[in-house]
Amino acid sequence: MDNIKVFDGHNDTLLNLHLPDRGEGRSFSQRSDLGHIDLPRAREGGFGGGFFACFTPNPEDEGWNEEEALTVTDDGYEVSGAPQIDPQYARSFADELVAGLFRLQSESGLRVVRTVDELERSFREGVLAAILHFEGAENLGPDPGALEELYEVGLRSLGLVWSRPNTYAHGVPFKFPSSPDTGPGLTDAGKELVRECNRLGILVDLSHLNEKGFWDVAELTKAPLVATHSNAHALCPASRNLTDRQLAAIRDSGGMVGVNFAVAFLREDGGESEDTPLETVVRHVDYLVERVGIDGVGFGSDFDGAKVPRELGDVSGLPRLLAALRDSGYDDTALQKLAHANWVRVLRSTWCG
Ligand SMILES: [Zn+2]
């Protein structure tokens, strides 16, 4: 029986709880069959916490939605480019999600952590630890100077983009098969934002960023390179996954990759079938460990934001994944690294306190 704590690089639980058409008003503190994470299922799965993303979807009344933008092609799919959204709108939406996270803290006993010490104390005390993460820097609002104010609130991780453009950078449109090299690199504002993140000690997340943007950050940043929820392009050639060259740069920087459980980024056919064996996750872990090293791989589930293998089900299925990894040869020390220790190491070298 595995009682190894899992700390995870990405979930969309805040959005799932916020939008009635996703979470149907479920409560985080009560067990539900909806979504992937709630407190009872987290306890059952040995989930110690993770990055809780604040993501602002394109407004429905502006005429773009992911389902309608999806085209099936001969060998995969393409989602035509999501348009940029208004930063004022993004900020007010993100503020509601941030408020939702702090509500979970006061009502469900989860803890928003700002330092590695707080994170480790939460593990010891068995309190679910949450890192406040923004998925897309438009969430800062019209003034990038808001970063500092949001740092005070608790923001400790920032994805420059979701899969759409903004003032700072260009996200990869979802496409299979496709290289992640889909457009221009960071803008000057984007480069300045990376410097500010370095200065404050905010992690810069590279998932969803296109390849030119990735190389711009790699050249500029003083912190280890981190992709919180992406997989190996060699095993699943989706635009969202990382090429061998990118993986080598992450390794050389002492950074890490969180393995994404979304079937579309795991399967070699890029498909959405939940009948995807856990073995497929293990193969990505194996490949990433081979490329980045055992100190550079963790989990980045995408729970509550994507379809995951039926065999995993939800957060309560994590022990089955750990068992599958154990069966394929990972010993206790390796499992501890994959499950949480690598995240702790990278956060320690990225955050200022
Ligand atoms: Zn994402």
Side-chain angles (χ1 to χ4, degrees):
M1 183 61 205
D2 278 304
N3 52 7
I4 294 174
K5 272 257 185 287
V6 170
F7 188 81
D8 173 69
H10 191 90
N11 71 62
D12 283 302
T13 303
L14 296 175
L15 187 67
N16 188 280
L17 293 169
H18 183 70
L19 295 179
D21 64 334
R22 297 207 189 180
E24 299 179 25
R26 72 187 174 97
S27 142
F28 188 71
S29 54
Q30 280 167 6
R31 192 188 183 88
S32 172
D33 293 327
L34 297 167
H36 294 137
I37 301 179
D38 53 42
L39 210 50
R41 283 183 289 175
R43 293 220 169 94
E44 195 179 313
F47 183 71
F51 291 61
F52 281 61
C54 295
F55 165 64
T56 306
N58 285 71
E60 277 178 25
D61 57 6
E62 287 182 11
W64 186 91
N65 80 62
E66 208 170 319
E67 275 152 46
E68 284 172 22
L70 175 75
T71 317
V72 176
T73 58
D74 286 348
D75 50 357
Y77 61 86
E78 182 169 4
V79 177
S80 67
Q84 193 156 343
I85 62 171
D86 173 32
Q88 194 79 58
Y89 170 82
R91 177 63 193 271
S92 59
F93 193 93
D95 281 345
E96 289 178 41
L97 296 177
V98 172
L101 177 63
F102 283 98
R103 243 187 340 267
L104 295 186
Q105 176 167 266
S106 53
E107 291 170 7
S108 308
L110 152 162
R111 182 181 292 152
V112 179
V113 297
R114 295 171 170 79
T115 65
V116 172
D117 284 352
E118 282 178 355
L119 177 59
E120 291 188 319
R121 185 158 56 86
S122 300
F123 283 168
R124 282 196 303 276
E125 293 173 358
V127 176
L128 202 70
I131 292 175
L132 175 55
H133 168 74
F134 274 10
E135 188 170 31
E138 57 271 61
N139 281 352
L140 300 174
D143 173 16
L147 188 70
E148 194 151 357
E149 161 206 329
L150 285 157
Y151 178 86
E152 295 303 323
V153 171
L155 186 72
R156 289 294 179 276
S157 173
L158 176 68
L160 295 179
V161 281
W162 182 67
S163 287
R164 69 187 162 212
N166 63 26
T167 312
Y168 308 99
H170 297 258
V172 280
F174 299 107
K175 192 176 175 188
F176 180 98
S178 168
S179 148
D181 189 8
T182 57
L186 301 195
T187 64
D188 287 343
K191 290 177 183 169
E192 187 51 33
L193 190 60
V194 172
R195 287 186 202 102
E196 275 299 284
C197 285
N198 281 177
R199 183 178 71 81
L200 292 165
I202 293 175
L203 183 144
V204 176
D205 178 18
L206 299 165
S207 288
H208 289 276
L209 186 59
N210 68 7
E211 192 171 352
K212 286 198 174 67
F214 177 101
W215 294 117
D216 283 344
V217 176
E219 197 182 303
L220 194 68
T221 186
K222 296 182 169 68
L225 299 177
V226 175
T228 57
H229 60 304
S230 294
N231 291 337
H233 196 270
L235 302 188
C236 168
S239 56
R240 273 279 284 106
N241 286 338
L242 298 158
T243 65
D244 289 350
R245 261 189 82 214
Q246 290 178 301
L247 295 174
I250 291 172
R251 179 198 61 218
D252 294 346
S253 76
M256 72 177 284
V257 180
V259 174
N260 193 319
F261 303 159
V263 292
F265 307 141
L266 288 167
R267 296 172 61 90
E268 59 181 24
D269 64 4
E272 282 272 29
S273 169
E274 287 155 300
D275 289 321
T276 299
L278 271 183
E279 188 50 42
T280 319
V281 183
V282 175
R283 275 206 298 276
H284 277 270
V285 171
D286 288 345
Y287 189 86
L288 293 168
V289 166
E290 190 187 308
R291 294 282 165 169
V292 189
I294 190 64
D295 294 321
V297 183
F299 303 139
S301 68
D302 226 341
F303 278 143
D304 283 323
K307 276 188 189 159
V308 304
R310 186 168 287 122
E311 239 184 298
L312 186 64
D314 58 29
V315 68
S316 68
L318 285 170
R320 288 193 287 281
L321 174 59
L322 292 175
L325 288 164
R326 191 183 291 282
D327 288 347
S328 83
Y330 292 92
D331 62 14
D332 259 347
T333 311
L335 286 175
Q336 299 272 4
K337 288 183 176 192
L338 297 171
H340 62 258
N342 289 338
W343 278 122
V344 174
R345 175 189 69 77
V346 162
L347 291 168
R348 198 185 293 284
S349 57
T350 303
W351 288 352
C352 295

